[in-house]
């Protein structure tokens, strides 16, 4: 594709055909919608189409084909990874339809965040498989797999998708399910936005009105004891248990509770989908390893599941690194403690391990571009990408992954890897998945206008 010359009037034709508004650089709405949640990523989209109907998305993609402009998509900006310089950004915030069906499924517009689905499903005793932060967009999360706080019980959230409605790169609105366009259905579950712009999704909900869960925070001096106990605890856990551990160095902010703000702590997160009586003793065991300084575990409404991780809601400048680990033997724990433990001068605000396995290790009913996950743990580091020590903070994060590299599988997950980077995508998808995605892109987006498809094509070469 040749690079188009953008002039003041480039987007007039599209603006005239949309029911939603169009925003150009220099306007407050452009700045609001083009600035991602990770505010360290620049907001340079050539224009923002704030679509209000699926027909607007069709118009935007067909315009992109005529104008030779790449088109990107965003709902909340939580997963933005690259600059959108010269690209048309389709913002889906106004695609806000949501219907929960008492029989156990929901139809969700592309602009809807998980917290709305949680609240709408709760009166029926139903639950969507959300991630650690319900503030994230449902569709963006589902296109990347979706690894949440009850994932070992129920598997990846993308496997709950019954159907997508999607505008592919050729400008056609299509339905993709196990029966209609099954190849698109395969690729949209894990392929992120590389195959088109989803306008709505239909998902199965699980019957889970409550869970037994929470988080226990311990003081810095107990880090080693807690990390070692957690690592020994994990392999014996039933699949009804999902757990993660975080070494935290949270900043001193009014939104962060005083006992854990501005200091180093270690936290154990836990969610159990079975009868609480069967697991209370095991949780008391891990809680008794040291004296918790904050938090608790108990029966909670499923709709409050976001409290388990209590991820930040306000936008922040951040950098992340992610690895999948085969195992976490004692030597790996030693290596982790040396780079991220109480005595390590790490600048990561969070160094997190999540236990995988259970349903995550099993093939889904319908094969997809992600899963089953052939690894035992995830390792995620997050640092602040602002201030004078950004380079040192990035280096600290990399040092954690280097230290654990002997136990890494070399692979990554779509929701935790920058989608604009071919090198990362080669770690996310195996060779056959990349080839299959590239073949689908060639078929459904012959001019290559979908921005997220381009790095997939580059990675497949
Ligand atoms: C605080 C935080 C916690 C998180 N926790 C988890 C977690 O526990 N588990 C997990 O799996 N992930 C997690 N993530 C990652 C998150 O799921 C992804 O970043 C997801 O892409 C966010 O979707 P979004 O729509 O909110 O973000 P956006 O930035 O709006 O979109 C991100 C990407 O999603 C795709 N996308 C969005 N909308 C569409 C659409 N309509 N059609 C096609 N593609 C689309 C595109 O590739 C887009 O670039 C977390 C992220 C954050 C910031």
């Amino acid at each position: 594709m040749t690079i188009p010359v953008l002039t003041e009037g480039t987007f007039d034709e599209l603006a005239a055909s949309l029911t939603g508004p169009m925003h150009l650089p220099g306007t407050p709405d452009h700045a609001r919608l083009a600035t991602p949640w990770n505010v360290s990523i620049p907001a340079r989209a050539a224009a923002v189409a704030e679509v209000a109907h699926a027909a607007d998305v069709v118009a935007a993609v067909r315009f992109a084909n005529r104008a030779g402009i790449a088109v990107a998509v965003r709902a909340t900006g939580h997963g933005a990874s690259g600059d959108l310089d010269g690209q048309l950004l389709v913002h889906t915030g106004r695609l806000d339809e949501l219907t929960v069906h008492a029989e156990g499924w929901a139809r969700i517009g592309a602009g809807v965040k998980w917290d709305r689905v949680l609240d709408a499903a709760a009166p029926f005793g139903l639950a969507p498989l959300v991630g650690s932060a319900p503030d994230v967009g449902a569709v963006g999360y589902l296109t990347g797999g979706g690894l949440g706080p009850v994932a070992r019980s129920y598997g990846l959230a993308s496997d709950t998708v019954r159907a997508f409605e999607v505008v592919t790169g050729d400008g056609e609105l299509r339905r993709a399910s196990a029966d209609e366009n099954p190849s698109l259905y395969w690729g949209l579950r894990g392929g992120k936005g590389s195959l088109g712009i989803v306008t709505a999704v239909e998902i199965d909900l699980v019957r889970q009105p409550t869970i037994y869960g929470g988080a226990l925070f311990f003081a810095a001096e107990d880090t080693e004891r807690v990390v070692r106990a957690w690592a020994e605890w994990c392999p014996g856990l039933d699949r009804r248990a999902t757990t993660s551990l975080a070494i935290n160095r949270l900043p001193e902010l009014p939104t962060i509770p005083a006992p854990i703000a501005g200091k180093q702590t270690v936290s154990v997160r836990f969610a159990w989908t079975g009868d609480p009586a069967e697991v209370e003793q095991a949780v008391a065991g891990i809680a008794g390893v040291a004296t918790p300084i904050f938090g608790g575990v108990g029966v909670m409404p499923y709709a409050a599941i976001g409290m388990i991780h209590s991820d930040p809601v306000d936008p922040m400048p951040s950098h992340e690194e992610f690895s999948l680990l085969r195992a976490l033997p004692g030597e790996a724990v030693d290596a982790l403690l040396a780079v991220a433990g109480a005595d390590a001068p790490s600048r990561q605000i969070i160094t997190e391990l999540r236990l995988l396995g259970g349903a995550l290790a099993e093939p889904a009913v319908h094969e997809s571009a992600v899963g089953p996950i052939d690894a035992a743990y995830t390792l995620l580091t997050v640092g602040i990408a602002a201030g004078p020590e950004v380079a040192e903070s990035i280096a600290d994060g990399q040092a954690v992954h280097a230290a654990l590299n002997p136990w890494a599988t070399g692979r990554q997950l779509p929701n935790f890897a920058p989608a604009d980077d071919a090198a990362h995508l080669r770690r996310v998808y195996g060779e056959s998945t990349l080839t299959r995605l590239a073949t689908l892109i060639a078929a459904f987006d012959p001019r290559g206008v979908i921005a997220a498809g381009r790095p997939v094509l580059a990675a497949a070469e």
Side-chain angles (χ1 to χ4, degrees):
M1 180 182 270
T2 50
I3 297 172
V5 179
L6 301 177
T7 65
E8 220 172 283
T10 298
F11 296 100
D12 289 355
E13 177 205 332
L14 175 59
S17 66
L18 292 181
T19 51
M22 186 87 196
H23 307 292
L24 294 178
T27 61
D29 283 327
H30 181 281
R32 178 175 58 84
L33 298 173
T35 305
W37 187 82
N38 180 354
V39 289
S40 67
I41 295 174
R44 282 194 284 254
V48 179
E50 200 180 352
V51 294
H53 297 284
D56 284 352
V57 181
V58 170
V61 175
R62 288 186 181 170
F63 169 81
N65 271 276
R66 285 194 301 279
I69 292 173
V71 57
V73 60
R74 177 174 298 165
T76 72
H78 272 83
S81 55
D83 191 356
L84 304 178
D85 203 4
Q87 298 182 5
L88 168 63
L89 175 62
V90 166
H91 196 282
T92 60
R94 293 185 183 211
L95 300 180
D96 59 357
E97 64 169 308
L98 172 63
T99 318
V100 171
H101 298 265
E103 312 83 64
W105 65 284
R107 183 176 161 90
I108 306 168
V112 175
K113 293 185 188 185
W114 276 130
D115 43 19
R116 264 188 71 204
V117 190
L118 280 168
D119 291 344
F124 302 98
L126 295 169
L129 297 184
V130 303
S132 60
D135 193 40
V136 157
V139 165
Y141 178 80
L142 290 167
T143 55
L147 180 71
V150 293
R152 279 169 42 85
S153 299
Y154 293 114
L156 285 172
S158 55
D159 291 326
T160 64
V161 176
R162 291 181 174 194
F164 294 94
E165 279 164 20
V166 58
V167 178
T168 44
D170 54 5
E172 294 298 320
L173 176 61
R174 296 184 153 91
R175 197 173 155 84
S177 68
D179 306 317
E180 292 167 86
N181 294 303
S183 60
L184 270 181
Y185 178 62
W186 168 86
L188 286 166
R189 288 172 304 134
K192 296 293 291 183
S194 61
L195 295 175
I197 299 181
V198 174
T199 56
V201 68
E202 292 168 6
I203 62 164
D204 286 320
L205 302 168
V206 298
R207 219 159 270 283
Q208 188 78 47
T210 59
I211 42 170
Y212 178 76
L216 294 165
F217 286 78
F218 300 88
E221 59 266 28
D222 294 320
T223 302
E224 177 165 356
R225 201 179 312 168
V226 173
V227 175
R228 289 197 192 284
W230 183 82
E232 280 167 26
W233 192 49
C234 282
L237 283 175
D238 189 294
R239 65 191 293 157
R240 288 170 292 175
T242 302
T243 181
S244 61
L245 174 134
I247 300 172
N248 313 291
R249 290 170 173 86
L250 302 176
E252 205 145 16
L253 291 173
T255 47
I256 298 177
I260 58 173
K263 48 179 87 91
Q264 193 198 313
T265 58
V266 58
S267 56
V268 172
R269 295 86 156 256
F270 186 75
W272 171 259
T273 53
D275 177 356
E278 291 180 54
V279 81
E280 273 162 356
Q281 217 179 337
V283 171
I286 195 90
V289 165
T291 307
I293 56 164
F294 184 69
V297 176
V299 176
M300 60 163 75
Y302 184 94
I305 196 165
M307 287 174 64
I308 294 179
H309 284 244
S310 294
D311 280 341
V313 174
D314 294 332
M316 63 173 198
S318 58
H319 63 83
E320 286 185 18
E321 287 282 330
F322 181 85
S323 302
L324 286 169
L325 306 180
R326 272 182 281 109
L328 191 67
E331 298 90 324
V333 174
D334 294 344
L336 177 70
L337 290 168
V339 282
D343 301 326
S346 173
R347 294 168 187 82
Q348 302 309 281
I349 56 167
I350 184 161
T351 300
E352 178 198 75
L353 290 163
R354 294 189 190 189
L355 177 66
L356 300 173
L360 293 165
E362 292 164 5
V365 177
H366 302 289
E367 200 196 357
S368 75
V370 59
I373 306 178
D374 185 16
Y377 296 86
T378 64
L379 170 66
L380 172 73
T381 50
V382 182
I384 298 285
E389 295 190 339
V390 178
E392 290 84 351
S393 180
I394 291 173
D396 284 352
Q398 288 167 343
V400 173
H401 293 268
L404 277 291
N405 193 47
W407 298 276
T409 66
R411 299 293 296 273
Q412 296 195 327
L413 293 176
N415 269 351
F416 297 93
D420 61 330
D421 177 359
H424 275 97
L425 291 177
R426 274 187 217 106
R427 294 180 60 191
V428 170
Y429 306 109
E431 209 180 310
S432 66
T433 300
L434 267 181
T435 307
R436 206 165 154 185
L437 282 174
T439 307
L440 288 171
I441 292 168
F444 288 103
D445 182 15
R447 287 173 183 258
V449 296
I450 300 293
R454 295 176 173 188
V456 172
L457 292 176
E461 265 171 19

